[in-house]
Amino acid sequence: MLVYKTEEEIDILRRNNLLVSKTLAEVAKLIKPGVTTLELDKRAEEFIRDNGAVPGFLGYGGYPNTLCTSINDEVVHGIPSNRVLKNGDIVSVDCGTFMEGFYGDTAYTFPVGEVKDDVMNLIKTTKESLFKGIDNAIDGLRIGDVGYAVQFHAEKAGFSVVREMVGHGLGRDMHESPEVPNYGKRGRGIKLATGLVICIEPMINMGSKYIKQDNDGWTIRTIDGKPSAHFELAIVVRKEKAEILSTFKYIEEVKNFGI
Ligand code: MF3
Ligand code: CO
Ligand code: CO
């Protein structure tokens, strides 16, 4: 069942996703060689609570933290720990909030210090592919148009698209219908209509598209150990152009990460 949101509900979703965006900017200030992912997590939790929300991921399906921090070959759902970020790493930071009955959900992949050109290209391409998807998330187009645009851009650059994990509707639940795959065929799938709120979140691998799960029950990593990047924004489908509810603006004001 698809849940279309009223403008009042969209206002609440906008507040949640702006808070997530600002939280990611607080995290961005701390990202450098030597910081642990648990330090990032602590700052994010504090900032979310100081702003009147609660962490959206904490306790979700038993998840233990505020952030998902996924380093290098980790695709998504990496659990914050005492692991130290090193020069040349990349880290996907995915963050969620919950307030006034609705969720926020947004992610950004940061380079740590100096990152090799081919890995920077992976990050850049993944971010671009997200915006290609957003360009197609308009009233009257279909979910397959979004996935096709993401996939086309990623594969053109020689990268591969993770299939098992997908974007999703966002609202009173963090994961609502529809599923939003990052691959697809033009003109296929459900028709998008005004008021549908979705998260588009390409997970793009440098090598094989295949993934595996660690024994911790959460961490997803590439099968071949090559790096993976992940960006996510929440958007509302509208007539001419999607309205983007979250933003990377605050992150990129902290520092130019070169993406
Ligand atoms: N934020 C993830 C997504 O983009 C889901 C995180 S699951 C959790 O869909 F358990 F870690 F919260
Ligand atoms: Co997310
Ligand atoms: Co999501």
Side-chain angles (χ1 to χ4, degrees), residues 52-246:
V54 294
F57 299 173
L58 190 63
Y60 182 89
Y63 188 73
N65 287 84
T66 293
L67 300 178
C68 296
T69 51
S70 309
I71 305 168
N72 299 337
D73 64 318
E74 297 171 359
V75 179
V76 286
H77 301 170
I79 301 173
S81 72
N82 291 320
R83 181 170 171 182
V84 172
L85 295 179
K86 299 192 319 290
N87 186 54
D89 285 346
I90 59 171
V91 60
S92 151
V93 180
D94 194 343
C95 182
T97 57
F98 181 80
M99 62 179 166
E100 301 173 60
F102 288 83
Y103 282 91
D105 183 14
T106 295
Y108 196 89
T109 299
F110 297 91
V112 182
E114 284 291 306
V115 167
K116 284 196 287 175
D117 287 351
D118 58 341
V119 180
M120 283 305 287
N121 188 33
L122 172 69
I123 307 184
K124 268 188 174 165
T125 301
T126 305
K127 185 179 152 187
E128 287 162 4
S129 72
L130 165 56
F131 286 102
K132 300 284 181 193
I134 292 172
D135 286 344
N136 283 275
I138 51 178
D139 193 292
L141 291 186
R142 291 177 183 270
I143 212 78
D145 294 305
V146 174
Y148 175 86
V150 172
Q151 179 180 16
F152 184 81
H153 191 73
E155 291 183 349
K156 188 170 52 142
F159 301 130
S160 68
V161 176
V162 172
R163 310 299 160 107
E164 294 87 340
M165 326 282 299
V166 295
H168 50 90
L170 184 74
R172 292 188 180 276
D173 286 315
M174 183 157 55
H175 296 135
E176 297 186 351
S177 291
E179 290 196 344
V180 184
N182 298 297
Y183 58 93
K185 290 192 171 34
R186 280 197 269 199
R188 302 277 182 92
I190 64 124
K191 201 180 260 188
L192 301 168
T194 296
L196 189 65
V197 176
I198 56 174
C199 287
I200 306 177
E201 51 177 313
M203 288 147 270
I204 306 297
N205 296 351
M206 179 158 272
S208 167
K209 65 175 181 275
Y210 295 110
I211 57 169
K212 60 187 176 190
Q213 190 177 46
D214 283 2
N215 290 332
D216 64 12
W218 286 103
T219 312
I220 303 290
R221 65 178 73 237
T222 59
I223 203 102
D224 59 8
K226 293 187 180 167
S228 182
H230 174 222
F231 287 82
E232 175 174 25
L233 288 167
I235 64 113
V236 192
V237 175
R238 299 216 182 262
K239 288 283 180 216
E240 304 289 329
K241 198 176 191 325
E243 178 191 348
I244 308 178
L245 294 177
S246 33

